[in-house]
Amino acid sequence: MRDSRGVTRRRALGIGGALGLMAATGLTSAAALARRPSITGARLRSALPLPLPFQVPLPVPAVLKPVGTSGGADRYEITQRETSVEILPGVTTPMWTYDGSFPGPTIESRRGRPVTVSHRNELPVPTVVHLHGGRTPAASDGYPTDLLLPAGRQEHSTHMGHGSGHGMHDPRAVLSELTRDYTFPLDQRPALLWYHDHRMDFTAPAIWRGLAGLHIVRDDAEDALALPAGPRELPLMIADRAFAADGGLAYPALDPTLRVRPGVREPYLAGVLGDVILVNGAPWPVHEVDAARHRLRILNASNARHYELEAVTDDGRRLDLVQIGADQGLLAAPVVHTLLPIAPAERYDVVVDFSGVPIGGLVRVVNRLGSGRTRDVMAFRVARKAADDSRIPRALSADLPAWRRSDAVRVRDFAFRAGQTRAGHGWLIGGLPFDPARTDVTTRLGDVEVWRLVADVHHPVHLHLVGFRVLSRSGRPPLPHDAGLKDTVSLRPGEAVEIITRFDGYRGRYLFHCHNAEHEDMGMMANLEIV
Ligand SMILES: [Cu+2]
């Protein structure tokens, strides 16, 4: 994978290079390619009666207030604690939360204005906070072994039972007890980011139990665009879950204490899918809107579920989803979709115009990849006529990086595929399961690189620290929804995707990994050292 001669040889294959790589590594059989399954993962079934769709109002997570401001920086405090939340009407669900709610409180920031978030861990296990999409110094990036230990848990060592089934020591781990300050310079494009748990081996069940929240970065240039704002700007965190008979969340963890043995039971090794679709923590919610343009900032916070979203009116008309932004902020110009694929951890910023919908009409947000109850996501009820002075400018931003292939100082190939670890079935990058003590990629600050990513099944690949642009998909131009600056790219089964990025910002130890959270816990991460 890091053999430069191998790369050169594969490059010589030209447009067939990606397919050549697949053939050379036996990555994907023709039969698997032909099947192209739309779902990677297995569905867990709830043991409770589920509510009818479009009954529960859409919650909007509260915006957290800083506890203090000094020197142009804001300080926040969040307590991680177990609490009972009403997700299904009349049902009590114990969850692990940031500050008592799911999703956690939203943090709103201005570009270039630093934020410190002091996290206090009152949960029964160590935690790690990662700000997904943040341009963050390594010490605050939430490396999986930089544990925040609960009080009195100093005896937790840096040895952990990893997915490869053997204790693993990370001499570089920085442990904290009870509280830890994470500092985010937020010197980056305005975007919808999200914070979530990233603990070694147990990220998937920790997010599933509730450790996820939103962080929005804004700036004056974006404010001046006159996009829909205030109550007409809605964050939508979509996540699937399943519920046990006692109202608790169901999850097929091998170790329900989430302390020792990572991983999930058969048949969930490819990912855990719930049968309840939550938006901002509510099942199939409904939201009353003015007959006007709305800005929907969509995050797929599901562990493994992919969506292909469409907005359908009562008479079967599909409304335009006008994409204005990607993971890392505004596009150069809007892109119109009627169907929007969204993989785990991706964000899409879209404007939907409800002005043509009759008053009283319902607009359902549907997942074309779902079936039965998981086909519905949420609905908007168009409640009233209203004036609308918002607009969608033809030019949204002019600061997107325009890296060219010729800027790249090297090309790297990475295969994301199933494989064996010492613990049994696992998920590998370049044939290896994650090892915090092994440096997989070393690059120099400021270098531009092209990465070629090849998949067996669906793998949403995420790079920490940097945004990237999609150059190609299986030798063809990127898809319309690949526009803009991204930090997570959805590799579809059998696909080869080329991305280009510049490694700038900070030196230090970062990660890249699959954001199917179950894959991530079962080995599909690698170290990225920026020197
Ligand atoms: Cu994966």
Side-chain angles (χ1 to χ4, degrees):
M1 157 176 89
R2 286 171 301 281
D3 179 335
S4 59
R5 284 166 305 164
V7 168
T8 305
R9 185 180 58 77
R10 287 179 209 122
R11 286 182 91 172
L13 297 173
I15 195 164
L19 291 169
L21 172 63
M22 281 195 277
T25 58
L27 182 66
T28 307
S29 71
L33 268 173
R35 274 202 309 276
R36 298 220 168 208
S38 62
I39 281 180
T40 294
R43 192 201 289 197
L44 205 54
R45 288 187 190 281
S46 293
L48 284 176
L50 299 177
L52 293 172
F54 321 139
Q55 306 295 312
V56 179
L58 175 77
V60 176
V63 174
L64 194 62
K65 291 188 173 56
V67 294
T69 289
S70 69
D74 298 315
R75 183 177 176 82
Y76 294 89
E77 289 177 358
I78 289 178
T79 299
Q80 304 174 6
R81 58 189 167 88
E82 186 160 15
T83 190
S84 285
V85 181
E86 185 178 326
I87 302 278
L88 303 177
V91 174
T92 297
T93 302
M95 292 187 77
W96 288 358
T97 67
Y98 292 118
D99 251 16
S101 67
F102 174 72
T106 298
I107 296 180
E108 293 243 6
S109 299
R110 303 299 296 186
R111 177 181 197 157
R113 182 180 171 94
V115 158
T116 295
V117 187
S118 180
H119 278 267
R120 178 183 171 90
N121 183 4
E122 295 184 355
L123 292 167
V125 298
T127 61
V128 170
V129 180
H130 170 60
L131 178 61
H132 182 120
R135 198 171 131 99
T136 305
S140 286
D141 196 51
Y143 192 82
T145 53
D146 287 348
L147 302 176
L148 170 53
L149 306 170
R153 292 286 171 78
Q154 196 62 63
E155 78 274 14
H156 275 272
S157 75
T158 55
H159 292 273
M160 39 214 91
H162 176 251
S164 55
H166 56 282
M168 198 170 277
H169 183 66
D170 179 13
R172 294 168 73 180
V174 178
L175 306 187
S176 317
E177 193 178 353
L178 191 57
T179 64
R180 185 178 183 121
D181 285 1
Y182 293 87
T183 294
F184 307 109
L186 300 170
D187 175 21
Q188 60 185 99
R189 305 179 86 234
L192 172 65
L193 315 180
W194 61 301
Y195 60 100
H196 63 75
D197 199 65
H198 212 310
R199 175 169 56 120
M200 183 81 177
D201 295 337
F202 295 100
T203 291
I207 293 176
W208 186 272
R209 286 195 189 189
L211 294 180
L214 303 172
H215 188 139
I216 298 173
V217 184
R218 303 183 186 279
D219 76 354
D220 295 343
E222 187 181 296
D223 290 350
L225 294 178
L227 295 165
R232 295 183 188 168
E233 178 190 346
L234 292 166
L236 301 176
M237 180 198 277
I238 304 175
D240 58 341
R241 295 290 185 271
F243 293 81
D246 64 1
L249 291 169
Y251 189 83
L254 290 175
D255 172 9
T257 70
L258 308 187
R259 288 166 182 277
V260 182
R261 191 170 173 209
V264 291
R265 298 191 312 264
E266 293 269 17
Y268 302 98
L269 298 171
V272 180
L273 309 174
D275 59 355
V276 177
I277 307 299
L278 307 178
V279 183
N280 296 344
W284 301 288
V286 61
H287 189 65
E288 279 201 351
V289 291
D290 294 342
R293 278 184 288 272
H294 281 68
R295 180 181 184 186
L296 308 179
R297 310 192 69 170
I298 306 169
L299 158 68
N300 181 357
S302 309
N303 282 19
R305 184 178 287 280
H306 290 245
Y307 302 78
E308 285 182 5
L309 300 176
E310 49 188 19
V312 186
T313 61
D314 292 317
D315 57 358
R317 199 159 50 89
R318 295 198 294 172
L319 299 184
D320 282 347
L321 307 170
V322 182
Q323 186 190 351
I324 57 168
D327 302 331
Q328 287 284 316
L330 291 169
L331 306 182
V335 177
V336 180
H337 309 277
T338 49
L339 183 70
L340 186 62
I342 177 166
E346 283 190 307
R347 286 90 71 212
Y348 287 90
D349 198 344
V350 302
V351 175
V352 176
D353 189 352
F354 295 110
S355 66
V357 178
I359 302 305
L362 199 68
V363 176
R364 287 177 305 128
V365 178
V366 170
N367 173 21
R368 280 243 309 237
L369 297 179
S371 58
R373 295 298 311 272
T374 62
R375 209 169 163 81
D376 288 323
V377 175
M378 66 170 292
F380 294 95
R381 171 79 62 190
V382 181
R384 60 196 86 81
K385 287 238 171 282
D388 189 355
D389 56 3
S390 73
R391 53 196 198 96
I392 307 175
R394 244 177 249 185
L396 293 162
S397 71
D399 65 338
L400 279 171
W403 304 299
R404 289 161 307 167
R405 263 174 213 281
S406 55
D407 298 329
V409 298
R410 60 190 74 82
V411 176
R412 301 183 200 260
D413 288 297
F414 299 100
F416 288 73
R417 57 178 298 205
Q420 290 297 311
T421 67
R422 290 185 200 188
H425 182 282
W427 295 95
L428 314 177
I429 301 176
L432 298 171
F434 181 57
D435 179 349
R438 183 188 69 232
T439 299
D440 299 284
V441 169
T442 303
T443 191
R444 281 186 322 223
L445 189 71
D447 277 3
V448 175
E449 299 194 359
V450 169
W451 286 16
R452 294 205 291 224
L453 315 169
V454 186
D456 54 358
V457 296
H458 282 108
H459 297 294
V461 174
H462 170 47
L463 271 62
H464 286 214
L465 184 67
V466 293
F468 54 78
R469 307 203 67 172
V470 179
L471 283 178
S472 73
R473 283 187 182 265
S474 292
R476 287 188 288 274
L479 295 167
H481 66 274
D482 290 325
L485 195 62
K486 296 182 59 62
D487 56 46
T488 306
V489 62
S490 178
L491 310 188
R492 298 177 299 182
E495 198 169 42
V497 172
E498 288 181 303
I499 61 171
I500 186 167
T501 191
R502 182 168 184 267
F503 292 93
D504 65 356
Y506 305 94
R507 293 184 171 85
R509 181 169 65 156
Y510 291 92
L511 290 170
F512 63 102
H513 61 88
C514 179
H515 220 293
N516 174 313
E518 280 78 28
H519 296 189
E520 174 181 345
D521 282 347
M522 290 184 274
M524 200 168 253
M525 288 201 292
N527 281 307
L528 164 63
E529 188 83 36
I530 301 172
V531 297

